[in-house]
Amino acid sequence: MNRMFRITASVALGFAALIVNTHPVAAQTGSSVQADKRTLAADVRAEFLHAWNGYKKYAWGNDDLKPLSKTHHNWYSEPLLMTPVDTLDTLVLMGLDEEAQKTADYIAKNLSFDKDISVQKFEITIRLLGGLLSGYQMTGDKRLLDLAEDLGNRLLPAFESKTGIPYRYINLKTGEVRGEETNPAEAGTLIIEFGALSKLTNKPVYFEKAKRALKAMFERRSKIGLIGTRINVETGEWTNKDSHISAEIDSYYEYLLKCWKLFGDRECKAMWDKSIPAINKYLADETKTGLWYGHADMDTGKRTATTYGALDAFFPAVLALSGDMKRAKRLQASSFLMWNKHGIEPEVYDYVADEVKHPGYPLRPEIIESAYYLYRYTKDPRYLEMGKKIFEDFKKYCRTEAGYASLKSVITKEKSDTMQSFVLAETFKYFYLLFAPEDTLEFEKVVFNTEAHPIRATWKSEEKD
Ligand code: DMJ
């Protein structure tokens, strides 16, 4: 188990034992939240198990748990085991080795991609391809890599458009594509997974296709260096020119930077280096409450909206990873301000009007992901305090008898009947990693995909400076 990450089963189990016997380190640390770290990690792990066991009891073998009705939800006409695949590496990281072993066995025996269903390439890539690859790296179970390769091959025809920008949907059995209109996030958030697949199978084709798609998107940036929200994969024309770091664009930027970090690819670094000044010039917004990132027209740079939201909260992590700690810290402070307005962050918030625009909260991880990065880089206990407050609110408002439920409204706190797989893949993982001992995962040696699956470059990096 977990050979590639050098967290052997015994070390992981040793950690499990440590968090039961709490406190010897606590007395020496000074800060109270530092002292609480082990207790918090144990609490996160217990709550993760509560949600995972709810999925197992009421939804096993299906994609997601419906935490209020205690039933299940499948994305397509047949399940693709979204939750087990997305959760596997969290089980390993939490030292739940027996559970991880059983889950890996179940996936290997029951998951088949030979299905006549048209799937959303982006979601399948970040959740399933990413989950299978990190699961393989952590367990050494070759069956997971074989599944990943089969899936990668089935997704490849989606790249066959005139521009090289992939179609949004592809039939897993027939290879038939649809969805000519796509967005930068869906088209440009593929290279970690496809690139890692290339490196692990020694077949360059996956990396090449994903890189071509990323470049095709970058090359269509405006004269002032911004990209839009929607694009036609056949014509390469923008169909929506709203520019921002939010939904439909967000992880495109994340992957420009991470492509360089994981593969040492200098072209990716150059694309990031050329993109970030435009983001900071036209999208960054200084207000009396701090630093935010809003919306602007991609051609003129003119401000079109002063909204930020739960998804945008990934950006402090990316800024920190790029070395821009100053903006990262300031933006994280703004995310936390947004969180505290109602004790849970809304999907969309107008930072000038101080008004919630979209009140839902689907249990998103981004704010805690950023707290984790900032804590790892600064060791400043304020990020532990932040994580503790977020976790307490998360438990208070979202916990149900069967697991955790999204909120219809962060204002009324009314719940809705969904618990997406990213809750177990990302939200609980980042909470846990924030509080757990640092050697739980070698942060500096992995690159997380956008679904929080850590990928480690076990191959020789070719170019990195
Ligand atoms: C996840 O599937 C990924 O983090 C994606 O990049 C954005 N949306 C969800 C989590 O909010």
Side-chain angles (χ1 to χ4, degrees), residues 131-308:
L132 288 168
L133 290 169
S134 69
Y136 162 67
Q137 285 199 312
M138 286 201 187
T139 62
D141 188 334
K142 176 74 171 39
R143 297 173 300 176
L144 301 175
L145 181 61
D146 293 342
L147 275 166
E149 189 174 356
D150 179 46
L151 178 58
N153 289 336
R154 289 172 189 275
L155 296 176
L156 272 184
F159 289 103
E160 299 311 315
S161 69
K162 283 187 195 132
T163 58
I165 300 172
Y167 292 90
R168 286 189 74 205
Y169 294 92
I170 179 151
N171 185 299
L172 288 177
K173 196 190 260 302
T174 65
E176 190 189 338
V177 292
R178 68 184 172 88
E180 277 187 22
E181 192 186 37
T182 190
N183 58 64
E186 296 203 29
T189 310
L190 305 164
I191 197 148
I192 292 181
E193 301 81 1
F194 280 78
L197 184 60
S198 276
K199 300 293 182 186
L200 295 169
T201 58
N202 283 319
K203 293 181 185 160
V205 62
Y206 312 108
F207 181 89
E208 286 164 7
K209 299 278 182 191
K211 173 91 182 280
R212 182 172 168 236
L214 203 53
K215 279 173 75 174
M217 196 61 64
F218 174 75
E219 279 156 9
R220 286 169 176 79
R221 72 196 182 284
S222 68
K223 288 201 179 85
I224 60 170
L226 293 175
I227 55 165
T229 303
R230 299 262 169 93
I231 194 162
N232 184 296
V233 309
E234 286 299 326
T235 64
E237 297 292 326
W238 292 102
T239 53
N240 178 327
K241 293 191 163 190
D242 188 26
S243 195
H244 47 83
I245 55 153
S246 192
E248 301 195 48
I249 296 184
D250 47 10
S251 45
Y252 157 79
Y253 288 124
E254 179 185 344
Y255 273 36
L256 287 181
L257 181 65
K258 288 182 173 177
C259 163
W260 173 59
K261 296 275 176 192
L262 186 60
F263 304 111
D265 188 295
R266 286 198 199 113
E267 264 187 313
C268 286
K269 180 171 188 318
M271 291 193 277
W272 164 262
D273 286 343
K274 285 197 177 122
S275 300
I276 191 65
I279 297 173
N280 284 330
K281 182 165 179 190
Y282 299 107
L283 304 181
D285 208 353
E286 291 284 352
T287 75
K288 62 179 193 303
T289 54
L291 173 68
W292 301 88
Y293 282 71
H295 291 229
D297 179 275
M298 70 175 270
D299 290 323
T300 64
K302 197 167 165 277
R303 175 79 55 226
T304 50
T306 51
T307 52
Y308 182 87

Side-chain angles (χ1 to χ4, degrees), residues 355-405:
E355 235 173 56
V356 169
K357 291 291 179 194
H358 293 285
Y361 175 61
L363 309 168
R364 291 204 190 281
E366 287 78 4
I367 190 170
I368 197 70
E369 170 184 2
S370 289
Y372 168 58
Y373 275 69
L374 279 162
Y375 180 64
R376 288 308 301 252
Y377 285 125
T378 65
K379 299 288 149 51
D380 185 338
R382 90 176 54 192
Y383 298 111
L384 295 176
E385 297 278 6
M386 206 179 260
K388 185 178 173 195
K389 165 74 167 62
I390 294 171
F391 186 58
E392 279 163 2
D393 292 338
F394 180 78
K395 258 199 314 190
K396 179 168 164 196
Y397 295 119
C398 306
R399 194 180 202 274
T400 70
E401 212 178 82
Y404 273 74

Side-chain angles (χ1 to χ4, degrees), residues 29 36-37 39 54 81 114 120 134 158 169 200-201 209 228 230 232 289 293 303 315 318 327 329 339 348 445 454 456:
T29 58
D36 279 353
K37 269 179 81 185
T39 314
L81 303 186
D114 191 23
Q120 196 179 349
S134 69
Y169 294 92
L200 295 169
T201 58
K209 299 278 182 191
R230 299 262 169 93
N232 184 296
T289 54
Y293 282 71
R303 175 79 55 226
F315 208 55
V318 171
R327 285 194 184 87
K329 288 181 196 172
W339 179 277
V348 181
K445 296 203 173 147
R456 187 166 181 156

Side-chain angles (χ1 to χ4, degrees), residues 122-123 126-127 189 250-251 254 311 364-366 369 420 422 426 450-452:
F122 161 76
E123 296 287 0
I126 65 169
R127 298 183 196 222
T189 310
D250 47 10
S251 45
E254 179 185 344
L311 282 165
R364 291 204 190 281
E366 287 78 4
E369 170 184 2
Q420 287 212 48
F422 63 68
E426 292 192 76
T450 197
E451 190 77 0

Side-chain angles (χ1 to χ4, degrees), residues 419-431:
M419 184 182 91
Q420 287 212 48
S421 61
F422 63 68
V423 179
L424 298 168
E426 292 192 76
T427 314
F428 277 107
K429 184 185 286 145
Y430 285 128
F431 273 131

